[in-house]
Structure formats: structure tokens, C-alpha cells
Amino acid sequence: MSDELIGSFGEAFSRRTAFRFLIGGSSVWLTAGIPYLPALQAVTGDLQQSSDQTVLVVIQLTGGNDTLNTLVPYADDSYHRARPVLRAVAKDVLKIDDYLGLHRRMTALAELFAQGRVAIVQGVGYPNSNRDHGRAMHDWQTGRPEDQAAQTGWVGRILDRHFSEKVELLPAIFVGSMPLPLALTGELSFVPRIQRAQDLVLPPGVDRRLVERFLTSFGGSKVANNPWWDAVRRSTAAGLRLGQKVQAALDEHFAPAGPPLRDTRFELARRLGLISTLIKADIGVRIFYTDLGGVEPGGFDNHANQLGNHCSLLEELSESIAGFFRELDRHRLSERVVVVTFSEFGRTLQENGRHGTDHGAAQSLFLVGGRVRSGIFGKHPSLSNLDQGGLRHHTDFRSVLATLVEQWLGFETGPAFAGNFPLLDLFRG
Amino acid sequence: MPWEDLGGHLAGRASASFGARAAGSGFEPDPDWAWRAYRPSESCPWTLARAGHLYRRLGFGARWAELQESLRRGPQATLDRLLSEPKGLAEFNAQFDELSTSAGQADSPERIAAWWLRRMLETPFPFLEKMTLFWHHHFAASALRAKNPRLFAGYLSLLRQHALGGFDTLLAVLTEHPVVLLSAGAEANRRAQPNLAWGRTFLEQFCLGPAVAQSEEIGEVARAWTGWFVLNFRVRFIPGEHDPGPKKLFGREGPFAARDVLELVVSQAATHRYIVGKLYRWFIADDPPSQSLLEPLVNQFGKDRDIGRLVSTMVRSNLFFSDLSYRRKVKSPVDMVLGLIRGMESLVPTTVLAQDLAELGQDLSHPPTVAGWAQGMAWLHPASQLQRLEWASAFFAEQGRYQRIDPWEVARRNGAEDGPGACRWFVSLVLQDDLSDESRGMLKAEMERMPMGTAEDRSSALRQFAVRLTCLPEFHLA
């Protein structure tokens, strides 16, 4: 067969595969239509410009957070009657209004609230909510409680819709040590799990310039019509840029001026510190996901002797978020970042005989930063009209998440949540 | 072999015949040509590159001696050897079954993955493990979702047992395995509430492929499965929960039960197309094939549903050895790491390897969904390439989690006499000398910069050189 025939075959084939495989992928590839000639420009096209993009940081509180002792209805007699041991009395809470106050160990979060940077949505849950840790976590993470066999998460489906096959983009990262949470699982996309910023830089001893030159060296060989070779090349080029940017952010982070978040007493603070570095690195990540409380059943599951453990967790949460925003403030990035916390369920109003609480239903969600409209959203659920001992929800959790997806991140909510969930007015213009 | 000569013997490969014919707007390989058994020819000779291709696809890469022997004996003998069960396999697998399920070994998903990786590395029949991994992609059960590692080990051994047999048996056995049902969220199939999700998974993931089944059919399959439950990790049939009423499926009507559905679905042409298409992607290319190209195989598979025979036709074919297949797949993490490990003729701690693979995106005990891993482009993102390079650096490092690997020592054992010779050997082993002249020149320049005077220098130079090779995009193609 002559070279000419190979050329024309390759052309036809590449165009065909381009249309089948790369819709929404590289526009170079789509519009080429001629034998593909990789060029240096194509290699440098990379991670999305992100300097004006919004970022969502999800903190999963594993185990079922007792939001009644996080945001305390201190003025409600029913609360005090139900919790003779665990209750926080009026003088011990950080008062928000004449009914609610934050747990006394959350001074840092209270300060953020006072600064007008925290929104708390009360009474969040879903119909027929599950009280099994695994099941309830499944419901929250898939965003599809009605589909017990759902295999993908609400974030994963957004990534599948908007980012699959965009090999040069890194839209989401999980920071933590547990297996990848279901929320991030998609069918077509993969979210990396990162524990240290060093995971995202070029390993020492690998010469970036050499790799760059490899990427532009194809010498008229077979690879010229190979979309897979090109995809490896594009993702590697983007990887090099990623590594450079993260390295630069790290260098700055550890510059003599002193590292922020020096207080690494808290694992969550360390993780949020890493996230702040990655936001600073400007690598185009839109969604960060991390956890406090680990794997099922989780640190928030306090059926006995709740007080000490829960206090420490709340302090870690509060101090870590505050440290995170101090760091973002320093770099004027706070306006671009929203933190949201969630747990698989709230807990029962009534404390049990072992100085703990049991699995409940509705909870309060905390949103911090960005342009959140500060304040308390929704009525506090009644403490007399309960759902098997837990609070009744009035706001579906998917309304909150859909608001974040659509109004904060700017993605359509369809792929994430099936059904019509009214959006909330959580953001300033 | 002088450096300048590297790749010289590949010249013929560049003009491999496609048996192409004009077909309307574009060229299509001729299906008759495509599936005919490959015979080396002037335009498509038997080369080191093709031997490497064969070992990557049918197994997990080649050792140097295997490549050499394969070059000597030719493609037919190599294929025969790779595809047929070697003597001693039964004993090998029995021994591994016993070891891997002995006290404490099957208690965590990580350990099961580690044992499987060890089996992949040590088995005398890598092809069987490659097929087991294929079916794990297909049925995609998860130890994490099933919450029972030991059962998961049993599932893997069933996949292995039926990987090359009849599809009918494989499907029947796997769809009544508790781990598969638990992973698919099908542990309860009540008469009052047929499990539509299971109906969909069964038809769309396991049999017909996506977007074929009508929603009525999904409902009827769900009804046929009513009565089946997983209770305490055992599959039980509760007659009172079964809906014995008439059901309509694929143009037939009757009081179908699960067993009847299995019989009906395996004779559907869509099932044959779906399985053939998936195997095409696994063995031939990530590029989607045309229906007409697959037609002969679909017909063959439709008649006997013999998995082993189908795969044998595929990998013995002209198409398999053509440029439509060569390097037209993205290496999975498993492909990438095992290829290097086999080439280095070394044993590695596979528990560490299993963890590393999870970081690289392929946790063997936990496929992301019941649809398995997405493959192709889905393996690639900016972080994946950094992670892959990090892994290669760690693998070849003198200190660290894989510290026993010494590429210079392996090169020397395989006949390299000096540092440059070892580097050239490495290019032949890992890339079968198939890289662009520019990349070759750059590697040569790198090599010349490295001090190689002492044994220590050579050892260190080889480590660095090996990592550089993994930076080439070509290396990440299967």
C-alpha cells in the first residue's frame, strides 16, 4: 500500500473518530478535518483559566451531626427538658438571636457569622429519610434517595455532563484518606484523591523541559493520526502546567513570610490549608470535597458520652473553616469560595440514657464565604412535632445543593438532581 | 545493536496493509480481511513491536526472554502458547485460591486485590487473568458496596472459572451471585415493588447494552426477578414474593421467571453485539468500530456464545496486528504498572501496589459503578499523568516502597554489557524501539549526559533513564 493511501485512510478515520469520540473535546481535533498535525500551541492549551471562577468546598461530617447542639435553640424549654445532661444553657451559647446560639466552642465561626459571612439553613432533610448511616449517606451523596441502586453521585454526574473526555481539565479533587466518596463517582469521569500538595507536582528528578520536548516530538510517525496519543499528550501537558502552578503556590506558601495555617493541630485545618494552596495555584478546580469524621459510622456518631467528643469536633470544624478564610482573605480569594457542610442526618432531640443522642432526621447546613447572604434561613423545626424523635424537615437538601450547583457554580442542575427543587435565595447579587 | 539501528527493522510496519476499500465517504477495513488470521507478510512483518503489542493486550506485558522467544518462533506459535491453558495451571490456581482465602487473607478488600495482583504477575496463564479482569469490568461488583470481602473473593474466582467458557453459563452464574446483586442494589426484589434498577442494570450493563431495552422490558425483567433476595449474604428465593403472572419480553409472552429471562436474553442479537463490541474495545482498540466490521464476529458469537473462541478469532486477526489496533488504546493503570513490573522480572509487595493502583484510579476491589471503569480518555486527566510519573519514579527509586528493583541488574542479566547498552536494551524492552527519531535523539542525549563509569553510576543512570522513558506519551498507550 502506498503512503498516499495510508494518508487518506488516516484522514477519513481520524475525522470519524473525532466526531464520535471528541464531541466537546479538543476543538483543534474537531475542526482539523485534515490529517492531524499536532502543534506546540495545542500542547500549551491546558487547565482552564480560573481566576474568576467560583469554587465550592464540601465538608462531609460523617456520623450524623447533632445540629441541635451545634446551633442551639437555647430559648426553647422542650430542648432543655429533652436534654438534661447534654443541653447548653443560655449563658453558654454564642447567641445569634433570642432563640438560637452557636455552641460555645465555635467562637471562630460565630465571628464569621458576625462578619456577615455565614448562612445557616435550618430544617434540611428529605422525605422518608433513612436512619442507617450507609443508606442515608448514600441518599445524600447520590442526591437520589428514591433510587436505592443509584451508582453515581451528584458531583460525579455534573462532571460526566460537563467534563468527560476533557483530559486537560481537573474540575474536582477529593482531599482525604478514605475511599473516594460516592458523591464524586461518575461513569465517565474520575476524581483524584489527594493527601498532600506534593501529589500534584512533578516528582523530583523528572525534568519538565524534557517531558515538554517529548510531547512535541512525533516526527511524522504513526501517532499523527492517533487520537489516544494526542489525548495522552494533552493531559500530560496539562499535568506539567498543573505541577508548575502548584509548585509555585507551594513555594509562596512556604516562603520566609511564613506559612499560614501554622496551627495544624487539626487535620481538617491541614486539609483546608492544602485546598487554599490549590485555589491559590489557580488550577481550575471547581469542587473540593473533604471530610471530618472519617468513614462510617463516623466521628459524629455519638450514642454515648457525646459531650467531649462533639465539642472537639465542633471546635475543629469552626477553627479550621476560620483559618481557611483567613488564608483566603490574605489572597483576596474569599469572594470566590463557598464552604458547605452536611451530615447524613441530624440526631434525636431526646438524649438517651448513655449521655448520647440517636439517629435523627433534619439538620442545619452551614454555608460560609463567597457571596452568601448571611443569616438564618427557614424556621427552626418544631421541637414538639417530631419525626420519630428527630426533627422534621421543611427544606429538601437538594434545594440547597441545587442552589449551589446552579447559582454558585453555574452548572445546570438536571444531571445532579432529578426532580424540581426550588432554589433558595442564598447569595447576594 | 548500534543505537542508530534501533527501529530499523520496524520499517516494514509503517506500511501495514489495512485491506482497506473505498466505502462511500470514508475507508473501512474490509471485514473479511480484518478477521482472517494474520500471517506475517512483507507489508506487515512479524516484529518486536508486534510481539510487544501481543503481550500487552493478551497479558500484562512481556519479559525480555518472552519477546525474544516470540520473535524466534513467530506469531502462530506465540499465540498458541499465550491462548492455551498451560500444564500446571489447575495446581497454580488451586494453590492461590487456598493461600488467598486462608485465615486473615480474605478479610479486607485490599488484601484480595493484592492477592489478585500477585496472581496476575505470577500466573503461567496471564491471558486468563486478563479475561477475568475484563469480566470484572463487565459485572463490576465491589467489595465495598457488598460489604463482604470474602464473598468478593468468591466472585473473582467464579469470573476466572467461567471467563473463557460459554457466555450463557457465565451470565447465569454471575447474576445469581450475592456480590453482584448487592453491588447492583438488587438485594430485594419484592412482588409489590419490582426492582426496576436491577432490570435496567441486567439489561443495559450485563446483556443488551445501553439504550436498547424499552422501559416495558425493564419492568418485565424486574417482575421476572421478584422473589430473589440476598439475606445474610446468601441468595434466597422466596416463592411468595415471586410474581408468576404473564410477562412480555422480546416479542414472546409467558409466565417468565429469572431463568427464562436468561435463556431469552442470550439469544438476542443486541447481546451478541454488545459483548463483541466490549471485547473489541478490550483487545483491539478504544476507537469505536463500525457495525459492519463487527458483523462476522457477532454472527459467530450468536451461534455458539463461546467466549474463548470469539477472543481467539479477534486476537489472531489481521486487524489485531494492524495499525488500527497497535497503540490505539490508553493503558489502564493496571496495564501500566504490571507491564513495568513484569519487564523488571521482579516480585513486588502487591499490597503496596494495590494501594498505589487505587490512587491511580483503579481500585481493583471497588470499580466506581456497576458499569465498571470507563477506560480510554477517562484514564487521563492532568493529575493522572503526574500520578503516573510519581509512581514510575517511586518504582525505579533506589529507596522507597519498591526498593528491590534494579534495572541495571536486569539489563545486565539480559546481555547488556555497559551503560549505553543497558539503556538501548531498555528502549527495546519497554517501547520495542518504536519511538520517533526526535525522542530517540533526546533520550540518547540524556543518556550521554549520565555518568556511567562505575557500577553505582550505571545503576543510578538506568533508574533515571527508565523514568524518562515513562514520560513518553507512547509509553501510555497499550
Side-chain angles (χ1 to χ4, degrees):
Chain A
M1 178 184 287
S2 72
D3 285 338
E4 194 189 329
L5 190 47
I6 290 168
S8 53
F9 177 87
E11 178 189 339
F13 200 74
S14 71
R15 198 186 291 133
R16 211 162 49 88
T17 50
F19 273 98
R20 288 217 193 148
F21 259 128
L22 294 172
I23 300 301
S26 157
S27 56
V28 176
W29 188 251
L30 262 180
T31 52
I34 50 170
Y36 184 63
L37 296 173
L40 188 60
Q41 301 90 283
V43 178
T44 52
D46 58 1
L47 306 159
Q48 218 153 49
Q49 281 300 318
S50 56
S51 46
D52 54 348
Q53 279 179 336
T54 50
V55 174
L56 177 63
V57 179
V58 180
I59 304 176
Q60 168 184 318
L61 310 176
T62 320
N65 181 29
D66 181 15
T67 50
L68 278 166
N69 263 21
T70 311
L71 182 66
V72 183
Y74 71 90
D76 200 315
D77 287 344
S78 311
Y79 167 77
H80 294 284
R81 273 197 304 276
R83 298 194 160 192
V85 175
L86 296 181
R87 72 197 179 112
V89 294
K91 68 175 172 54
D92 274 350
V93 300
L94 309 165
K95 292 192 183 80
I96 283 177
D97 55 28
D98 54 12
Y99 183 73
L100 292 167
L102 285 165
H103 189 280
R104 64 189 161 82
R105 296 278 282 273
M106 299 183 90
T107 46
L109 195 75
E111 197 174 311
L112 286 170
F113 190 91
Q115 290 167 9
R117 303 170 77 175
V118 181
I120 305 173
V121 190
Q122 308 193 93
V124 180
Y126 59 104
N128 309 312
S129 64
N130 208 302
R131 297 196 181 188
D132 170 79
H133 288 290
R135 287 284 177 197
M137 198 52 102
H138 179 276
D139 294 343
W140 273 81
Q141 300 211 11
T142 62
R144 293 187 171 166
E146 63 285 353
D147 180 3
Q148 283 301 304
Q151 302 260 330
T152 54
W154 62 274
V155 177
R157 288 191 299 272
I158 293 171
L159 304 182
D160 279 352
R161 170 68 67 91
H162 296 284
F163 294 94
S164 66
E165 299 189 356
K166 295 190 176 170
V167 299
E168 54 277 89
L169 300 184
L170 185 60
I173 285 181
F174 171 60
V175 178
S177 55
M178 65 181 181
L180 193 75
L182 178 55
L184 302 172
T185 300
E187 283 188 339
L188 305 170
S189 45
F190 179 74
V191 174
R193 176 175 64 180
I194 300 299
Q195 307 204 39
R196 312 162 307 148
Q198 283 72 18
D199 293 344
L200 289 178
V201 301
L202 208 56
V206 176
D207 176 7
R208 181 172 56 79
R209 287 174 189 286
L210 178 71
V211 184
E212 268 169 8
R213 280 188 291 143
F214 279 155
L215 298 182
T216 52
S217 129
F218 42 92
S221 66
K222 328 289 305 163
V223 293
N225 277 307
N226 188 335
W228 311 106
W229 184 85
D230 186 54
V232 173
R233 203 174 66 109
R234 283 188 285 123
S235 62
T236 310
L240 292 178
R241 286 289 288 146
L242 170 65
Q244 256 182 312
K245 287 178 154 193
V246 172
Q247 188 65 59
L250 280 176
D251 292 345
E252 189 187 333
H253 188 97
F254 293 111
L261 291 180
R262 194 188 288 273
D263 181 6
T264 49
R265 179 156 62 107
F266 299 120
E267 168 66 11
L268 182 63
R270 196 191 62 75
R271 292 187 190 177
L272 290 175
L274 167 54
I275 291 172
S276 73
T277 303
L278 296 178
I279 294 172
K280 219 173 358 169
D282 196 28
I283 53 177
V285 177
R286 305 295 310 278
I287 302 173
F288 292 94
Y289 194 108
T290 190
D291 68 280
L292 176 60
V295 293
E296 188 186 329
F300 282 89
D301 193 28
N302 295 297
H303 290 280
N305 304 322
Q306 172 175 314
L307 269 181
N309 188 34
H310 193 235
C311 289
S312 320
L313 286 170
L314 291 181
E315 185 181 351
E316 175 163 3
L317 181 66
S318 162
E319 293 293 329
S320 304
I321 291 176
F324 179 56
F325 277 98
R326 271 197 306 277
E327 175 60 14
L328 293 175
D329 286 347
R330 280 192 350 148
H331 298 277
R332 300 176 185 201
L333 291 166
S334 312
E335 285 273 299
R336 280 177 46 207
V337 182
V338 165
V339 168
V340 63
T341 65
F342 82 94
S343 200
E344 67 268 44
F345 39 61
R347 302 193 80 83
T348 50
L349 169 63
Q350 184 71 46
E351 69 181 41
N352 60 29
R354 295 177 295 153
H355 305 165
T357 52
D358 298 319
H359 301 177
Q363 62 180 299
S364 303
L365 299 196
F366 291 74
L367 286 78
V368 189
R371 294 185 291 276
V372 297
R373 207 179 277 285
S374 190
I376 307 283
F377 287 76
K379 286 197 318 206
H380 195 281
S382 159
L383 298 189
S384 49
N385 176 18
L386 297 174
D387 169 9
Q388 298 169 65
L391 302 179
R392 284 187 189 281
H393 80 276
H394 51 64
T395 300
D396 196 293
F397 74 94
R398 289 161 292 185
S399 273
V400 182
L401 297 183
T403 305
L404 287 165
V405 168
E406 190 168 316
Q407 299 201 334
W408 183 246
L409 291 173
F411 300 121
E412 44 179 334
T413 53
F417 308 107
N420 200 5
F421 300 101
L423 300 186
L424 309 176
D425 190 17
L426 292 174
F427 296 103
R428 291 178 272 124
Chain B
M1 192 179 346
W3 186 273
E4 287 68 30
D5 285 352
L6 285 184
H9 59 287
L10 289 170
R13 202 185 53 74
S15 52
S17 163
F18 295 128
R21 62 175 184 200
S25 56
F27 283 104
E28 277 267 314
D30 173 359
D32 289 340
W33 167 85
W35 303 118
R36 217 176 298 138
Y38 163 71
R39 297 275 178 269
S41 65
E42 205 171 303
S43 64
C44 190
W46 181 235
T47 57
L48 190 64
R50 289 204 169 82
H53 170 72
L54 182 56
Y55 270 91
R56 278 196 302 277
R57 297 296 175 84
L58 262 60
F60 304 98
R63 297 176 170 194
W64 184 245
E66 290 169 329
L67 285 176
Q68 292 307 304
E69 192 195 350
S70 155
L71 264 187
R72 238 185 353 262
R73 298 181 58 186
Q76 273 66 44
T78 307
L79 277 160
D80 289 344
R81 205 179 68 70
L82 289 176
L83 291 172
S84 43
E85 185 180 317
K87 263 190 239 132
L89 179 74
E91 289 79 7
F92 172 86
N93 276 330
Q95 189 195 3
F96 260 73
D97 286 345
E98 197 185 319
L99 283 172
S100 60
T101 52
S102 61
Q105 296 301 315
D107 295 347
S108 81
E110 295 77 23
R111 280 201 166 261
I112 292 166
W115 273 105
W116 190 12
L117 287 163
R118 213 178 133 184
R119 198 185 303 231
M120 289 176 188
L121 285 167
E122 292 181 28
T123 178
F125 196 23
F127 175 58
L128 181 61
E129 296 309 317
K130 194 83 178 213
M131 282 301 295
T132 306
L133 184 56
F134 170 79
W135 290 118
H136 183 37
H137 271 254
H138 185 76
F139 291 104
S142 154
L144 237 61
R145 278 198 297 276
K147 299 196 173 110
N148 188 326
R150 191 164 282 270
L151 266 187
F152 179 74
Y155 149 86
L156 289 180
S157 114
L158 270 186
L159 290 179
R160 183 174 298 113
Q161 188 184 333
H162 298 284
L164 289 165
F167 179 69
D168 301 14
T169 312
L170 176 77
L171 182 69
V173 167
L174 267 299
T175 49
E176 62 181 33
H177 194 281
V179 164
V180 173
L181 295 173
L182 286 166
S183 295
E187 62 272 29
N189 295 277
R190 299 181 190 289
R191 181 172 184 167
Q193 201 181 4
N195 192 329
L196 293 177
W198 168 252
R200 182 176 298 279
T201 299
F202 175 82
L203 287 176
E204 298 196 337
Q205 299 298 340
F206 299 161
C207 302
L208 305 176
V212 175
Q214 309 289 317
S215 58
E216 298 78 32
E217 290 171 328
I218 288 169
E220 297 295 65
V221 168
R223 283 179 62 220
W225 242 273
T226 50
W228 289 98
F229 290 80
V230 182
L231 302 168
N232 278 328
F233 300 109
R234 288 191 177 183
V235 175
R236 293 274 165 76
F237 182 68
I238 300 169
E241 285 284 356
H242 180 65
D243 174 355
K247 300 156 192 97
K248 281 187 192 164
L249 202 58
F250 311 129
R252 304 264 304 272
E253 191 171 350
F256 303 135
R259 196 162 290 274
D260 306 307
V261 173
L262 286 168
E263 255 174 53
L264 287 172
V265 81
V266 293
S267 50
Q268 292 299 304
T271 302
H272 313 147
R273 270 199 292 275
Y274 179 55
I275 300 298
V276 169
K278 267 193 150 176
L279 281 164
Y280 179 97
R281 186 169 193 194
W282 190 250
F283 283 109
I284 307 237
D286 276 332
D287 308 79
S290 71
Q291 284 305 331
S292 60
L293 179 60
L294 293 188
E295 215 49 41
L297 296 190
V298 172
N299 292 337
Q300 174 190 322
F301 188 61
K303 285 190 196 109
D304 58 13
R305 271 108 69 186
D306 183 331
I307 301 159
R309 202 167 86 86
L310 169 66
V311 174
S312 172
T313 306
M314 269 186 187
V315 301
R316 289 174 183 275
S317 70
N318 279 326
L319 190 68
F320 178 82
F321 288 97
S322 79
D323 285 359
L324 293 180
S325 175
Y326 180 75
R327 287 187 180 166
R328 304 281 309 197
K329 265 178 76 72
V330 179
K331 268 183 192 164
S332 68
V334 166
D335 286 336
M336 185 197 75
V337 304
L338 293 194
L340 283 177
I341 294 168
R342 287 206 89 235
M344 287 297 95
E345 307 171 4
S346 308
L347 286 180
V348 296
T350 52
T351 313
V352 173
L353 189 63
Q355 287 161 0
D356 283 357
L357 278 169
E359 296 298 318
L360 290 167
Q362 200 172 15
D363 179 348
L364 285 176
S365 63
H366 182 50
T369 71
V370 78
W373 289 271
Q375 308 179 66
M377 298 278 188
W379 292 129
L380 304 172
H381 49 77
S384 74
Q385 294 313 94
L386 292 175
Q387 289 171 317
R388 284 179 176 213
L389 287 183
E390 195 282 329
W391 187 86
S393 303
F395 179 68
F396 288 114
E398 204 169 347
Q399 304 281 324
R401 50 199 200 268
Y402 297 100
Q403 54 185 322
R404 279 192 228 157
I405 308 294
D406 185 353
W408 159 247
E409 187 52 37
V410 187
R412 208 183 48 76
R413 209 187 302 150
N414 283 288
E417 287 170 357
D418 52 14
C423 289
R424 284 194 294 271
W425 173 81
F426 220 89
V427 175
S428 300
L429 173 76
V430 175
L431 294 167
Q432 291 85 48
D433 301 333
D434 189 12
L435 67 170
S436 74
D437 293 339
E438 287 143 281
S439 298
R440 195 189 312 278
M442 286 183 246
L443 284 171
K444 192 180 172 191
E446 287 291 313
M447 181 186 85
E448 282 163 357
R449 266 205 297 278
M450 295 171 178
M452 300 216 197
T454 68
E456 253 171 41
D457 286 345
R458 282 191 291 273
S459 177
S460 153
L462 253 286
R463 291 177 194 283
Q464 293 174 39
F465 189 80
V467 174
R468 278 163 176 64
L469 275 193
T470 67
C471 298
L472 280 164
E474 286 85 341
F475 170 73
H476 297 276
L477 298 177

